[in-house]
Amino acid sequence: MFAVNAISMMNYTMMANNAVFRGLSANNARLGLLSSPISDLNPQQLAQLSALDTQLELDAMTCSLQYKCAKAMLESLKKLQDDDIKRSFSIFA
């Protein structure tokens, strides 16, 4: 059981790290949109820019949710592992 928990914990740690990286990349891309000159754009280009910004914001929010879910699962597995350790050592005590 300990090996399965360890593999699951590594998986959720990787999931959390990947979610943070993707969220940072989306936020970095949103910041990159600010460097483009907005005054020279026509209404269609502004609409496309707004749609891209909205999509990047949704991506960042999705990554934030995935990070929180992965962290919650990781904390749950750590608690389960601690309970298993206490229970296994209480047998010998």
Side-chain angles (χ1 to χ4, degrees):
M1 186 67 171
F2 290 116
V4 173
N5 281 347
I7 292 170
S8 296
M9 289 172 70
M10 287 188 328
N11 184 37
Y12 286 120
T13 301
M14 180 187 65
M15 186 187 301
N17 290 339
N18 287 339
V20 168
F21 179 75
R22 286 190 320 270
L24 288 173
S25 296
N27 286 331
N28 191 28
R30 285 184 76 200
L31 287 174
L33 293 176
L34 293 175
S35 65
S36 63
I38 296 175
S39 60
D40 298 337
L41 299 177
N42 63 33
Q44 183 181 9
Q45 291 171 327
L46 279 176
Q48 290 173 346
L49 188 65
S50 176
L52 180 60
D53 181 52
T54 302
Q55 184 61 44
L56 289 171
E57 182 178 10
L58 289 174
D59 290 346
M61 291 172 72
T62 301
C63 291
S64 175
L65 179 64
Q66 288 174 347
Y67 172 78
K68 289 177 184 177
C69 290
K71 290 303 275 185
M73 288 301 295
L74 189 59
E75 290 173 9
S76 175
L77 284 173
K78 283 182 182 180
K79 184 180 178 201
L80 182 65
Q81 185 180 32
D82 290 342
D83 290 344
D84 285 345
I85 290 171
K86 286 178 187 177
R87 192 172 43 247
S88 65
F89 282 122
S90 68
I91 292 172
F92 299 113

